[in-house]
Amino acid sequence: MALCLFHRCLCVLLVAMMLGLGAQCDHTEPPCGAYTPGDIILGILASVHSKVKDLPARIRPDQYTCIDFDLIPFVQSLAAIHTIETINDSGFLPGIRLGYLMCDSCVYATKALHCVEQMLAVNGSFPVLSNYSDFTSSVKAFLGERYSELSIPVAKFLSLYMIPQISCTSSSPALSDKSRYASFFRVIPSDVYQTKALAKLMKYFNWDWVGVVTLDDDYGKPALEKFLIDSGKEQICVEFQEVVPNYLGSTDIAKRIKELADKIRRSTAKVVLLILRPEHVEMLFKELIKTNTSRIWIASDAWSTARFLMKMKDINKVGDIFGFTFLTGMIPGFEDYLKNLRLAPGERNDFIREYKQIRFNCSQQSEHTSPLACNVTDPLEANDDYLLSAVDLTEAYNQRVAVYAVAHAIRNLLKCNDTACSGDTNLLPWQLVSILREINFTLDNKTYSFDQYGDFENAYDLISWKKNGDERVPEVVGQFLIKNEEVEVNDHKIPWNNKTVPLSRCSVTCLPGTEKSISNISCCYTCTNCSEGYYSNETDQLTCKKCPEGSWSLPGSRECQKWSIWFLEWSAAYSIVVMIGTVIGALLLVFSFIFYILHREKPFIKGILVISCLMKFGLMVSFGGVILFLGSPNIHVCRAQQTMYGLGFTLCVSCILVKALHIFLELMSSNPAKQRELRKFDKPFVIIGILTAIQALICIFWMVFDPVDVEEKQSKTQLLTLNRLCTQGFMYGFGAMHVYIALLAVVCFGLAFKGRDDETDPIVFSMLIHLFAWLCFIPIFITQYDSRPIVQISGIMVSNYGVIFCHFAPKWFKILSEKTLETVKTPVAPLTNDSDSGVISNFTSDLRESTHSIPQSRFSIAESEPSNWDISSLHLSEVSIASFRRRRQRSWRSKSLRPRRRTLSNL
């Protein structure tokens, strides 16, 4: 069996040599640096070297010379080779052995195309056909390239032949376009998701002011464009965008890196996204470490797990580093493979040979390796565990997945079972493309498949570079789930300084209760307080939200509060005072009514009893209207409180006006004939009825055409309070009602003041009190909306009490004083003086004449028959002797008549 296997390998090697492969890989700097024979050959494109020597000076299509050995792609190529050997040893493809052919692209797209051309060449030449449907070559599928800049031209080239290409790290979104890259596949997501993950990460930590540095290649440019779109959606602003040359051998790259470092030092952004290769990052960090410049760095997948960067000198000075990495895992048996790295019989691998020469012969050709004493006899046989610590082996797991994807496609195409494969190994490469698009396989208990764009849709791991002495080690602190496009972060795993997330913002955070006032740049703004009735309960809200119905907020509020409804509650102190005042006023009116009834025979009460009762009734109605101002109002209460006061107090003032009119008419003329003519207007009940009816009409028109209502209006004095008050419409009806009462009061005052006497003093003072009270309250009523009920109540109470104490209280005092004097029985001295007796005699005579000459009326003092009047009945009456004398004296002065010829009828 072993002999057969040896013969088979020998035959494959001879076939390869016949195809020119052996000759192609036999140069001093061979384009094919590694291969092993097999029934089906897989091509491996790996940029083990990072530069092409003297590329800027290249003027002829000479052979390329690659320099700067890079451990990361070297270990990744070893992972692919190890997986191929594992599949061969496992019998996964029974009777079929996979071989490989590896070429170094040296991170140069033209060199990558040269590799592909030579790997597909037949007999040393590349065929040009009109139809490539039957084209076949020894290489049936390609693995690689690492960088999108190289994968894009290779994918375009291979799409001509429909040879499948599977990349493990090229993430450019352009490669998802199947119309241009029909045979390209990758076992990672597109950068469409990576830029979303980067933007979501910045949003998670509230970093909205960042800088971005990218490469000037087909990877960096689309990544930048996509990031700007995704960051804009997350309200993240980019302070600066810098581009550096992709090619490390560029003559001005060192200068460009220094300029970039200066730019970062001057910037205010504390977070910088680097979409670069690890070598670019190394050069930049060295510049920044010189000045101890620290930032928060966000790594693209290209360098997020670069172990040699984690071991840089003074790496801890650059600041915190985060990044996203693709699917990772441990490859079974890979560590032992690296610790015992040897070439198998019939295998060629110039890269292993070069690595061991560098590692054990102290030939310091790479900055990423450390020298070891030259004490080994045969470097190819010498081994150590250096690669296990120099490179993150989990990053190479995708190579295992990619190889198994091709192996499963071959197994399906060749119809393999557990014992044999029935298909022809000289398969056409394009046949694998359709199978890969539909394939679904399981590896290490995980299921994998390509989507319609040839991509995997698995998650990203969020990596934090944790400090470990003078070095850094990667630690998974979260992930980005592609399905829901959300970042999940384990915050407790991130050791922030002072346990506080650093800020990277153009402006300070707008706290709840404020909103952003944005300038030209959306991330640069000032914070302004929410206006009244609006609120914000989160930081950095663009606009404040309006309070829901039934709630309100003060300026700068974080939340809304339900309105506190204010009205004159029954339990309020002012309401209690009003109720007490109203009850006292009502009791005084009841007392006055009873008092007047009990003393109705008194001359100065008997004539005015009915009018006084009407006045009391009007005041009682007015007091009732005051009570309606208390409690929560409704439209019916609002109407009643205004009309009760208007009609009640109008009735009272009408009665007073009738009394003032009567006195005025009595004093208008001393001519009895003229007085009889004027008394035609002395119709008290008619006047009272007409004047009150006019007020009733005013109230009716008010309630119909300018109705009152209930409104809730924000209080100017009490915060978050709505005053539930009665409105007065447009104030026309309200004003007309009060103006009408004031007009009646002015007429009363004028009539009383014209005929001023002891009887008119109550009228004058009560109307003055009423007018003065409302003149004082009007400015307050107009300017203090919240206090309108209190103002109106106070005005009504003052007016009502003014009438009570000016019109009714003097009568009580007079009657009570009269009773007090009657209890003192003082003997009257005989009238012996002729002069006094003459005066009294004349007074009596004139009084009788007056009572016959003046017609009786309700306001006349002659209520009884003249024969019944006696001088003793005039004691403390409304027309006393003293009053008679004063009137006679005034008449004498004006008429120059003798006193004894004047009678009461002339007064």
PDB file of all heavy atoms in Angstrom, residues 291-310:
ATOM      1  N   THR A 291       6.548  60.890  21.514  1.00  0.00           N
ATOM      2  CA  THR A 291       5.989  62.057  22.223  1.00  0.00           C
ATOM      3  C   THR A 291       4.917  61.646  23.240  1.00  0.00           C
ATOM      4  O   THR A 291       4.154  62.495  23.702  1.00  0.00           O
ATOM      5  CB  THR A 291       5.366  63.033  21.210  1.00  0.00           C
ATOM      6  OG1 THR A 291       4.398  62.336  20.410  1.00  0.00           O
ATOM      7  CG2 THR A 291       6.431  63.626  20.305  1.00  0.00           C
ATOM      8  N   ASN A 292       4.889  60.349  23.560  1.00  0.00           N
ATOM      9  CA  ASN A 292       3.915  59.845  24.545  1.00  0.00           C
ATOM     10  C   ASN A 292       2.472  60.242  24.187  1.00  0.00           C
ATOM     11  O   ASN A 292       1.682  60.607  25.058  1.00  0.00           O
ATOM     12  CB  ASN A 292       4.249  60.333  25.951  1.00  0.00           C
ATOM     13  CG  ASN A 292       5.528  59.733  26.485  1.00  0.00           C
ATOM     14  OD1 ASN A 292       5.830  58.569  26.208  1.00  0.00           O
ATOM     15  ND2 ASN A 292       6.297  60.521  27.222  1.00  0.00           N
ATOM     16  N   THR A 293       2.154  60.199  22.920  1.00  0.00           N
ATOM     17  CA  THR A 293       0.797  60.530  22.474  1.00  0.00           C
ATOM     18  C   THR A 293      -0.109  59.326  22.682  1.00  0.00           C
ATOM     19  O   THR A 293       0.171  58.232  22.172  1.00  0.00           O
ATOM     20  CB  THR A 293       0.795  60.926  20.991  1.00  0.00           C
ATOM     21  OG1 THR A 293       1.671  62.041  20.817  1.00  0.00           O
ATOM     22  CG2 THR A 293      -0.599  61.299  20.538  1.00  0.00           C
ATOM     23  N   SER A 294      -1.158  59.558  23.416  1.00  0.00           N
ATOM     24  CA  SER A 294      -2.077  58.476  23.750  1.00  0.00           C
ATOM     25  C   SER A 294      -3.451  58.765  23.165  1.00  0.00           C
ATOM     26  O   SER A 294      -3.953  59.892  23.240  1.00  0.00           O
ATOM     27  CB  SER A 294      -2.183  58.326  25.278  1.00  0.00           C
ATOM     28  OG  SER A 294      -3.146  57.351  25.611  1.00  0.00           O
ATOM     29  N   ARG A 295      -4.040  57.759  22.580  1.00  0.00           N
ATOM     30  CA  ARG A 295      -5.394  57.843  22.029  1.00  0.00           C
ATOM     31  C   ARG A 295      -6.114  56.516  22.265  1.00  0.00           C
ATOM     32  O   ARG A 295      -5.518  55.548  22.733  1.00  0.00           O
ATOM     33  CB  ARG A 295      -5.360  58.147  20.528  1.00  0.00           C
ATOM     34  CG  ARG A 295      -4.849  59.529  20.153  1.00  0.00           C
ATOM     35  CD  ARG A 295      -5.819  60.616  20.545  1.00  0.00           C
ATOM     36  NE  ARG A 295      -5.387  61.923  20.056  1.00  0.00           N
ATOM     37  CZ  ARG A 295      -4.588  62.751  20.696  1.00  0.00           C
ATOM     38  NH1 ARG A 295      -4.099  62.380  21.885  1.00  0.00           N
ATOM     39  NH2 ARG A 295      -4.261  63.918  20.199  1.00  0.00           N
ATOM     40  N   ILE A 296      -7.375  56.493  21.916  1.00  0.00           N
ATOM     41  CA  ILE A 296      -8.114  55.233  21.859  1.00  0.00           C
ATOM     42  C   ILE A 296      -8.119  54.808  20.395  1.00  0.00           C
ATOM     43  O   ILE A 296      -8.619  55.531  19.531  1.00  0.00           O
ATOM     44  CB  ILE A 296      -9.548  55.394  22.381  1.00  0.00           C
ATOM     45  CG1 ILE A 296      -9.525  55.803  23.854  1.00  0.00           C
ATOM     46  CG2 ILE A 296     -10.337  54.101  22.204  1.00  0.00           C
ATOM     47  CD1 ILE A 296     -10.888  56.164  24.398  1.00  0.00           C
ATOM     48  N   TRP A 297      -7.555  53.634  20.129  1.00  0.00           N
ATOM     49  CA  TRP A 297      -7.375  53.171  18.755  1.00  0.00           C
ATOM     50  C   TRP A 297      -8.393  52.085  18.441  1.00  0.00           C
ATOM     51  O   TRP A 297      -8.579  51.145  19.226  1.00  0.00           O
ATOM     52  CB  TRP A 297      -5.960  52.631  18.545  1.00  0.00           C
ATOM     53  CG  TRP A 297      -4.900  53.605  18.969  1.00  0.00           C
ATOM     54  CD1 TRP A 297      -4.224  53.622  20.146  1.00  0.00           C
ATOM     55  CD2 TRP A 297      -4.425  54.717  18.203  1.00  0.00           C
ATOM     56  NE1 TRP A 297      -3.341  54.674  20.182  1.00  0.00           N
ATOM     57  CE2 TRP A 297      -3.431  55.367  18.996  1.00  0.00           C
ATOM     58  CE3 TRP A 297      -4.700  55.227  16.945  1.00  0.00           C
ATOM     59  CZ2 TRP A 297      -2.748  56.488  18.571  1.00  0.00           C
ATOM     60  CZ3 TRP A 297      -4.021  56.347  16.499  1.00  0.00           C
ATOM     61  CH2 TRP A 297      -3.060  56.963  17.298  1.00  0.00           C
ATOM     62  N   ILE A 298      -9.029  52.227  17.288  1.00  0.00           N
ATOM     63  CA  ILE A 298      -9.960  51.207  16.813  1.00  0.00           C
ATOM     64  C   ILE A 298      -9.307  50.510  15.636  1.00  0.00           C
ATOM     65  O   ILE A 298      -8.966  51.160  14.635  1.00  0.00           O
ATOM     66  CB  ILE A 298     -11.308  51.812  16.389  1.00  0.00           C
ATOM     67  CG1 ILE A 298     -11.875  52.697  17.509  1.00  0.00           C
ATOM     68  CG2 ILE A 298     -12.291  50.716  16.023  1.00  0.00           C
ATOM     69  CD1 ILE A 298     -12.190  51.957  18.780  1.00  0.00           C
ATOM     70  N   ALA A 299      -9.100  49.205  15.761  1.00  0.00           N
ATOM     71  CA  ALA A 299      -8.359  48.454  14.754  1.00  0.00           C
ATOM     72  C   ALA A 299      -9.308  47.813  13.759  1.00  0.00           C
ATOM     73  O   ALA A 299     -10.364  47.285  14.130  1.00  0.00           O
ATOM     74  CB  ALA A 299      -7.513  47.378  15.426  1.00  0.00           C
ATOM     75  N   SER A 300      -8.925  47.868  12.500  1.00  0.00           N
ATOM     76  CA  SER A 300      -9.628  47.083  11.483  1.00  0.00           C
ATOM     77  C   SER A 300      -9.181  45.635  11.601  1.00  0.00           C
ATOM     78  O   SER A 300      -8.221  45.310  12.324  1.00  0.00           O
ATOM     79  CB  SER A 300      -9.338  47.630  10.090  1.00  0.00           C
ATOM     80  OG  SER A 300      -7.960  47.485   9.784  1.00  0.00           O
ATOM     81  N   ASP A 301      -9.857  44.754  10.888  1.00  0.00           N
ATOM     82  CA  ASP A 301      -9.531  43.327  10.995  1.00  0.00           C
ATOM     83  C   ASP A 301      -8.110  43.019  10.557  1.00  0.00           C
ATOM     84  O   ASP A 301      -7.529  42.018  10.961  1.00  0.00           O
ATOM     85  CB  ASP A 301     -10.516  42.523  10.154  1.00  0.00           C
ATOM     86  CG  ASP A 301     -10.450  42.906   8.682  1.00  0.00           C
ATOM     87  OD1 ASP A 301      -9.672  42.310   7.947  1.00  0.00           O
ATOM     88  OD2 ASP A 301     -11.188  43.833   8.281  1.00  0.00           O
ATOM     89  N   ALA A 302      -7.514  43.905   9.750  1.00  0.00           N
ATOM     90  CA  ALA A 302      -6.173  43.633   9.214  1.00  0.00           C
ATOM     91  C   ALA A 302      -5.106  43.587  10.301  1.00  0.00           C
ATOM     92  O   ALA A 302      -4.108  42.876  10.154  1.00  0.00           O
ATOM     93  CB  ALA A 302      -5.810  44.681   8.165  1.00  0.00           C
ATOM     94  N   TRP A 303      -5.284  44.304  11.394  1.00  0.00           N
ATOM     95  CA  TRP A 303      -4.247  44.314  12.432  1.00  0.00           C
ATOM     96  C   TRP A 303      -4.792  44.149  13.842  1.00  0.00           C
ATOM     97  O   TRP A 303      -4.038  44.282  14.817  1.00  0.00           O
ATOM     98  CB  TRP A 303      -3.434  45.606  12.345  1.00  0.00           C
ATOM     99  CG  TRP A 303      -4.183  46.879  12.692  1.00  0.00           C
ATOM    100  CD1 TRP A 303      -4.963  47.613  11.874  1.00  0.00           C
ATOM    101  CD2 TRP A 303      -4.185  47.548  13.959  1.00  0.00           C
ATOM    102  NE1 TRP A 303      -5.465  48.709  12.527  1.00  0.00           N
ATOM    103  CE2 TRP A 303      -4.997  48.702  13.818  1.00  0.00           C
ATOM    104  CE3 TRP A 303      -3.586  47.310  15.194  1.00  0.00           C
ATOM    105  CZ2 TRP A 303      -5.225  49.598  14.875  1.00  0.00           C
ATOM    106  CZ3 TRP A 303      -3.797  48.192  16.241  1.00  0.00           C
ATOM    107  CH2 TRP A 303      -4.612  49.327  16.076  1.00  0.00           C
ATOM    108  N   SER A 304      -6.044  43.801  13.964  1.00  0.00           N
ATOM    109  CA  SER A 304      -6.644  43.724  15.300  1.00  0.00           C
ATOM    110  C   SER A 304      -6.028  42.631  16.161  1.00  0.00           C
ATOM    111  O   SER A 304      -6.085  42.701  17.391  1.00  0.00           O
ATOM    112  CB  SER A 304      -8.155  43.505  15.183  1.00  0.00           C
ATOM    113  OG  SER A 304      -8.428  42.302  14.488  1.00  0.00           O
ATOM    114  N   THR A 305      -5.427  41.604  15.536  1.00  0.00           N
ATOM    115  CA  THR A 305      -4.806  40.529  16.324  1.00  0.00           C
ATOM    116  C   THR A 305      -3.327  40.366  15.988  1.00  0.00           C
ATOM    117  O   THR A 305      -2.769  39.278  16.175  1.00  0.00           O
ATOM    118  CB  THR A 305      -5.543  39.205  16.065  1.00  0.00           C
ATOM    119  OG1 THR A 305      -5.552  38.934  14.655  1.00  0.00           O
ATOM    120  CG2 THR A 305      -6.969  39.256  16.581  1.00  0.00           C
ATOM    121  N   ALA A 306      -2.700  41.423  15.497  1.00  0.00           N
ATOM    122  CA  ALA A 306      -1.279  41.336  15.121  1.00  0.00           C
ATOM    123  C   ALA A 306      -0.430  41.196  16.386  1.00  0.00           C
ATOM    124  O   ALA A 306      -0.256  42.151  17.148  1.00  0.00           O
ATOM    125  CB  ALA A 306      -0.869  42.566  14.329  1.00  0.00           C
ATOM    126  N   ARG A 307       0.111  39.999  16.583  1.00  0.00           N
ATOM    127  CA  ARG A 307       0.834  39.717  17.824  1.00  0.00           C
ATOM    128  C   ARG A 307       2.130  40.514  17.923  1.00  0.00           C
ATOM    129  O   ARG A 307       2.515  40.940  19.027  1.00  0.00           O
ATOM    130  CB  ARG A 307       1.119  38.214  17.891  1.00  0.00           C
ATOM    131  CG  ARG A 307       1.706  37.750  19.222  1.00  0.00           C
ATOM    132  CD  ARG A 307       0.735  37.985  20.370  1.00  0.00           C
ATOM    133  NE  ARG A 307      -0.478  37.238  20.230  1.00  0.00           N
ATOM    134  CZ  ARG A 307      -0.664  35.997  20.693  1.00  0.00           C
ATOM    135  NH1 ARG A 307       0.330  35.367  21.275  1.00  0.00           N
ATOM    136  NH2 ARG A 307      -1.831  35.419  20.553  1.00  0.00           N
ATOM    137  N   PHE A 308       2.812  40.744  16.799  1.00  0.00           N
ATOM    138  CA  PHE A 308       4.078  41.476  16.899  1.00  0.00           C
ATOM    139  C   PHE A 308       3.845  42.935  17.333  1.00  0.00           C
ATOM    140  O   PHE A 308       4.701  43.547  17.957  1.00  0.00           O
ATOM    141  CB  PHE A 308       4.849  41.410  15.578  1.00  0.00           C
ATOM    142  CG  PHE A 308       4.325  42.285  14.484  1.00  0.00           C
ATOM    143  CD1 PHE A 308       4.772  43.588  14.339  1.00  0.00           C
ATOM    144  CD2 PHE A 308       3.361  41.820  13.597  1.00  0.00           C
ATOM    145  CE1 PHE A 308       4.303  44.400  13.325  1.00  0.00           C
ATOM    146  CE2 PHE A 308       2.890  42.622  12.584  1.00  0.00           C
ATOM    147  CZ  PHE A 308       3.348  43.912  12.441  1.00  0.00           C
ATOM    148  N   LEU A 309       2.670  43.485  17.006  1.00  0.00           N
ATOM    149  CA  LEU A 309       2.351  44.826  17.514  1.00  0.00           C
ATOM    150  C   LEU A 309       2.119  44.803  19.015  1.00  0.00           C
ATOM    151  O   LEU A 309       2.468  45.751  19.723  1.00  0.00           O
ATOM    152  CB  LEU A 309       1.107  45.369  16.799  1.00  0.00           C
ATOM    153  CG  LEU A 309       1.261  45.743  15.329  1.00  0.00           C
ATOM    154  CD1 LEU A 309      -0.080  46.193  14.754  1.00  0.00           C
ATOM    155  CD2 LEU A 309       2.292  46.838  15.156  1.00  0.00           C
ATOM    156  N   MET A 310       1.525  43.730  19.489  1.00  0.00           N
ATOM    157  CA  MET A 310       1.286  43.625  20.929  1.00  0.00           C
ATOM    158  C   MET A 310       2.574  43.523  21.717  1.00  0.00           C
ATOM    159  O   MET A 310       2.599  43.830  22.913  1.00  0.00           O
ATOM    160  CB  MET A 310       0.399  42.400  21.213  1.00  0.00           C
ATOM    161  CG  MET A 310      -0.973  42.467  20.573  1.00  0.00           C
ATOM    162  SD  MET A 310      -1.962  40.995  20.935  1.00  0.00           S
ATOM    163  CE  MET A 310      -3.424  41.326  19.949  1.00  0.00           C
TER     164      MET A 310
END
